[in-house]
Amino acid sequence: MTDPETRYKELVDILQKKGTRLTSHRVALARLLSVSEGHPNASTLYLKLQTQFPTISLATVYKTLALLKENGEVLEIVLQGDSHFDGNKPYSHPHLVCSVCHQIYDADEPLITGLLEKEIEGKYSFKIQRHQIVYYGICQDCQNKTSSDGSDRKGIDSE
Amino acid sequence: MTDPETRYKELVDILQKKGTRLTSHRVALARLLSVSEGHPNASTLYLKLQTQFPTISLATVYKTLALLKENGEVLEIVLQGDSHFDGNKPYSHPHLVCSVCHQIYDADEPLITGLLEKEIEGKYSFKIQRHQIVYYGICQDCQNKTSSDGSDRKGIDSE
DNA sequence: ATGAATGCAAAACATTTGCAGCTCA
DNA sequence: TGAGCTGCAAATGTTTTGCATTCAT
């Protein structure tokens, strides 16, 4: 949607307007989130930040993610084992999780989603606030890797 | 779907046919799962079993749930904090989670689901194996409790 | 300068694991 | 009888918390 630079400024702006302090670590996490294309977890974000900010702590990463989430600027995807974070599309949307490589892909919200939610709200008298939709399966890359040439090719391809 | 008694026999049958041993604790968990209407987590199952089997351990509950899950007889619903289990409808289907009372409700799979999955499979070349769809919001009970008479009524109603 | 934010280490959880001993088949 | 199962306790891994110190404003 928005380019990383714009999104970065947006995130910093929001923190500023909320009256929270713009520490170097928060700014760095905002920048990292804005340029992240995947769906990193807290540890991954921490490790990446650590190269530039050797004193940053994992606790600060968690606290800053919580802060951004409270303000609706980060989407948390709760998976088995740990949570993953999206600071670029912080609204409910479906994800595809590959059972082989464990990569997480974004999916567009299908057009009928609105109708579907209306159906559920009517049928169960349930007021929907948000959703987490995850499809598990095999991604295109992993289908190609395992189908054509068979057998396992440890160490031949990139990880 | 099936009544508890039938489902209980089914579960025991499956364990038997798989060649695993029918220990008293496994049989008890099978029975408990078959009569459970909600979506208990491991601790809840453990606590309920403990009243009849004081020596049962939480580890055994986890191991037995894993065994049943491997055989496709239990559905695990991964939520923030812990997993919940359904031994009666062990196939992917949507759930509604109330943000107020944290109750988990079953939803029927909408009829268009098949089409939706075909759309995703085509668009992303992703081979879907299963899904976990969770809608978060306010359930009917909690809407009624908080809307009409306003304010909080601690201790007046049942928990 | 002062209160919010930080790093650290410890705590809090759910879940898993290793293993000696028990028990179902 | 003996492999599979069990309970126990310890280990694991993620996330949270308490608190003295630091730092943005």
Side-chain angles (χ1 to χ4, degrees):
Chain A
M1 317 297 111
T2 41
D3 68 295
E5 190 59 22
T6 310
R7 181 58 183 156
Y8 162 68
K9 282 178 187 156
E10 245 175 55
L11 287 173
V12 169
D13 243 46
I14 279 145
L15 289 176
Q16 204 155 37
K17 279 181 187 145
K18 283 282 161 186
T20 64
R21 291 188 182 173
L22 282 186
T23 65
S24 58
H25 294 173
R26 283 183 176 176
V27 171
L29 181 55
R31 171 131 263 151
L32 179 54
L33 285 170
S34 73
V35 302
S36 293
E37 305 238 339
H39 302 77
N41 60 16
S43 295
T44 303
L45 291 166
Y46 168 63
L47 289 173
K48 286 195 179 169
L49 290 169
Q50 224 182 13
T51 66
Q52 267 196 68
F53 301 85
T55 68
I56 198 174
S57 73
L58 192 50
T60 294
V61 173
Y62 275 108
K63 284 168 188 168
T64 305
L65 286 171
L67 177 66
L68 289 168
K69 203 187 131 192
E70 278 163 29
N71 287 288
E73 295 302 327
V74 154
L75 177 74
E76 178 173 4
I77 305 145
V78 177
L79 298 181
Q80 180 89 274
D82 61 1
S83 284
H84 294 251
F85 300 89
D86 185 341
N88 290 313
K89 296 170 67 182
Y91 44 84
S92 295
H93 62 278
H95 291 94
L96 313 179
V97 176
C98 180
S99 312
V100 177
C101 66
H102 304 109
Q103 181 121 23
I104 302 169
Y105 299 89
D106 279 314
D108 293 323
E109 198 74 78
L111 295 172
I112 24 162
T113 299
L115 286 167
L116 241 160
E117 297 200 355
K118 280 274 164 284
E119 180 183 328
I120 285 172
E121 296 205 323
K123 194 165 177 181
Y124 304 99
S125 303
F126 188 85
K127 185 96 200 67
I128 295 174
Q129 295 170 325
R130 62 178 216 278
H131 67 240
Q132 184 178 297
I133 295 179
V134 180
Y135 290 99
Y136 295 89
I138 318 280
C139 74
Q140 185 162 28
D141 284 1
C142 290
Q143 287 173 53
N144 293 337
K145 272 182 198 141
T146 50
S147 62
S148 53
D149 57 340
S151 75
D152 59 320
R153 309 175 299 166
K154 277 180 207 154
I156 292 177
D157 281 29
S158 63
E159 183 256 352
Chain B
M1 318 283 113
T2 41
D3 68 296
E5 189 58 25
T6 309
R7 182 57 183 155
Y8 162 67
K9 282 179 186 153
E10 246 176 56
L11 288 173
V12 170
D13 242 47
I14 279 144
L15 289 176
Q16 204 155 39
K17 278 180 186 143
K18 283 282 163 185
T20 64
R21 291 191 183 169
L22 282 187
T23 65
S24 58
H25 293 175
R26 284 183 176 175
V27 171
L29 181 55
R31 171 131 266 153
L32 179 54
L33 285 171
S34 73
V35 302
S36 293
E37 305 236 341
H39 302 77
N41 60 14
S43 295
T44 303
L45 292 166
Y46 168 62
L47 288 174
K48 286 195 179 168
L49 290 170
Q50 224 183 14
T51 65
Q52 266 195 70
F53 300 86
T55 69
I56 198 173
S57 74
L58 193 49
T60 294
V61 173
Y62 274 109
K63 284 168 188 166
T64 305
L65 285 170
L67 177 67
L68 288 168
K69 203 186 131 191
E70 279 164 28
N71 287 289
E73 297 301 328
V74 154
L75 178 73
E76 179 174 4
I77 305 146
V78 177
L79 298 182
Q80 179 90 275
D82 61 0
S83 285
H84 293 251
F85 299 89
D86 186 340
N88 290 314
K89 297 171 67 181
Y91 45 84
S92 294
H93 62 280
H95 290 94
L96 314 180
V97 176
C98 181
S99 311
V100 177
C101 65
H102 304 109
Q103 181 121 20
I104 303 169
Y105 299 89
D106 281 313
D108 294 325
E109 197 75 79
L111 294 171
I112 26 163
T113 298
L115 285 165
L116 241 161
E117 296 201 357
K118 281 273 162 287
E119 181 183 327
I120 285 173
E121 295 205 324
K123 193 164 178 183
Y124 303 99
S125 302
F126 188 85
K127 183 98 199 68
I128 295 174
Q129 296 169 326
R130 63 179 215 281
H131 67 240
Q132 183 180 298
I133 296 179
V134 180
Y135 291 98
Y136 295 90
I138 318 280
C139 73
Q140 185 163 27
D141 284 1
C142 290
Q143 285 174 55
N144 293 338
K145 272 181 199 142
T146 50
S147 62
S148 52
D149 56 340
S151 76
D152 57 320
R153 308 177 300 166
K154 278 181 209 151
I156 293 176
D157 281 29
S158 62
E159 182 256 354

